[in-house]
Amino acid sequence: MVRSPSLDNVGASLVYRIGSTATYKKLFRYWYPLMTKRLHNQDDVQFLNWGYEEDPPLGLPLDPADEPNRYSIQLYHQCATQDGVDLAGKDVLECSSGHGGGASYLSRTLKPASYTGLDFNAAGVKFCNERHKVPGLKFVHGDAENLPFPDESFDAVVNVEASHIYPHFDRFLSEVKRVLRPGGHFLHVDFRNRDNFGNWESDLANSGLRQVSSRVINDEVLRGLKKNSARSNEIINTRLPAFLRKFGREFAVVDGSWFYNDLERGEIDYRAYHLTKD
């Protein structure tokens, strides 16, 4: 599953580095609960995603308590408001909500009627329900490829930097279409390595959802990562044992890490997509 205290996503790039999707999934299964356990009482680690910054700076107005996580928040904001989508009064599902910082921010600022964060990491769900007390916001344990909700339950599905982990992205998209109401929005930001660009595009094209827009945001994500690298390094060095710090820097994608360099070279694309259910 960067700017903020991200101790998360190795991403698709790590699959080809360690040579096996199956190995990566096993690594992921143990890594996330381990990080949640280690960071459970740390209020400053609420985001597990990369970041976003424009030039000139986006300047998103933030409360002082949100300011340390500016770059992760800006990525969430850009995802959820693509093409002027208004989530006010809507029922929103976030698939793979991590440590819940994005769900909390969007609930507080965009004013949906309800916001449900779903995540496969049961320890993370427990953390979120204890940490984030916002009216209309709840977190549930579940699988993004088998969503535990009735048909046409939501007006929007948000998916931030998580789908590269899913074993069957096409199955996830089928579930998104199922739980969306007619006219509902799928708001998606994520990355893939070059070898997977074609599959990503094909799965989205064959999802039965209509693509409204797509955008490559590599420059903005790199800018957010660079600006947050010092903070990420500080958190890694103080919260993780020495033998995990190198790995933690890859997950956090600090300036100079494998994944930062691959994004800079164009071996990874980070993209924003907006699709709708007609």
Side-chain angles (χ1 to χ4, degrees):
M1 3 279 326
V2 330
R3 9 30 35 211
S4 66
S6 234
L7 297 177
D8 190 7
N9 291 312
V10 209
S13 177
L14 187 53
V15 174
Y16 68 70
R17 291 191 184 280
I18 65 178
S20 164
T21 300
T23 302
Y24 178 40
K25 303 308 178 190
K26 290 178 182 177
L27 182 65
F28 164 82
R29 181 176 299 173
Y30 293 107
W31 175 256
Y32 281 84
L34 172 63
M35 289 302 96
T36 301
K37 183 178 179 181
R38 286 193 164 273
L39 303 172
H40 187 87
N41 295 318
Q42 307 300 333
D43 272 1
D44 57 350
V45 184
Q46 300 173 42
F47 288 84
L48 300 175
N49 63 284
W50 301 7
Y52 181 98
E53 181 60 291
E54 296 179 352
D55 185 18
L58 182 61
L60 188 68
L62 296 179
D63 290 341
D66 289 323
E67 187 62 43
N69 296 305
R70 165 169 292 278
Y71 305 110
S72 286
I73 284 173
Q74 289 185 165
L75 182 62
Y76 262 88
H77 180 84
Q78 291 303 103
C79 177
T81 61
Q82 292 181 74
D83 304 309
V85 169
D86 183 2
L87 297 183
K90 302 297 195 300
D91 295 315
V92 179
L93 169 67
E94 181 183 349
C95 293
S96 304
S97 48
H99 280 183
S104 173
Y105 173 78
L106 294 180
S107 294
R108 288 182 281 114
T109 60
L110 301 186
K111 306 300 183 184
S114 70
Y115 195 111
T116 302
L118 174 139
D119 202 90
F120 194 63
N121 175 13
V125 171
K126 182 175 185 292
F127 168 88
C128 289
N129 280 317
E130 293 175 358
R131 174 62 181 82
H132 302 294
K133 304 295 186 181
V134 179
L137 173 62
K138 67 177 179 180
F139 297 89
V140 299
H141 180 235
D143 182 351
E145 294 182 4
N146 186 24
L147 296 173
F149 309 107
D151 296 355
E152 299 185 0
S153 298
F154 298 98
D155 300 298
V157 174
V158 174
N159 185 238
V160 175
E161 199 178 296
S163 70
H164 63 273
I165 271 283
Y166 303 160
H168 308 100
F169 182 54
D170 58 342
R171 188 177 301 169
F172 164 65
L173 292 174
S174 177
E175 283 290 272
V176 170
K177 182 184 177 185
R178 182 182 66 78
V179 301
L180 275 177
R181 295 170 181 146
H185 304 277
F186 177 47
L187 303 162
H188 170 57
V189 294
D190 206 353
F191 61 94
R192 299 288 192 278
N193 67 353
R194 180 175 296 279
D195 291 344
N196 289 304
F197 291 169
N199 289 337
W200 193 12
E201 294 165 351
S202 176
D203 284 342
L204 288 167
N206 294 323
S207 66
L209 301 170
R210 176 173 56 86
Q211 186 168 302
V212 177
S213 64
S214 66
R215 186 162 67 104
V216 175
I217 56 173
N218 293 0
D219 290 344
E220 291 83 358
V221 171
L222 280 165
R223 197 173 290 116
L225 288 169
K226 181 177 280 291
K227 285 182 174 293
N228 205 65
S229 285
R231 185 163 188 255
S232 293
N233 272 319
E234 179 184 1
I235 289 169
I236 289 163
N237 290 337
T238 57
R239 306 284 164 73
L240 293 181
F243 75 95
L244 281 177
R245 289 173 192 166
K246 185 172 192 255
F247 195 49
R249 283 189 282 273
E250 291 302 325
F251 270 81
V253 193
V254 300
D255 188 358
S257 66
W258 280 342
F259 309 108
Y260 184 98
N261 293 338
D262 281 353
L263 184 61
E264 195 170 43
R265 289 194 300 263
E267 293 300 318
I268 293 173
D269 256 6
Y270 206 118
R271 302 179 185 179
Y273 287 98
H274 171 203
L275 294 91
T276 190
K277 178 177 177 179
D278 292 328

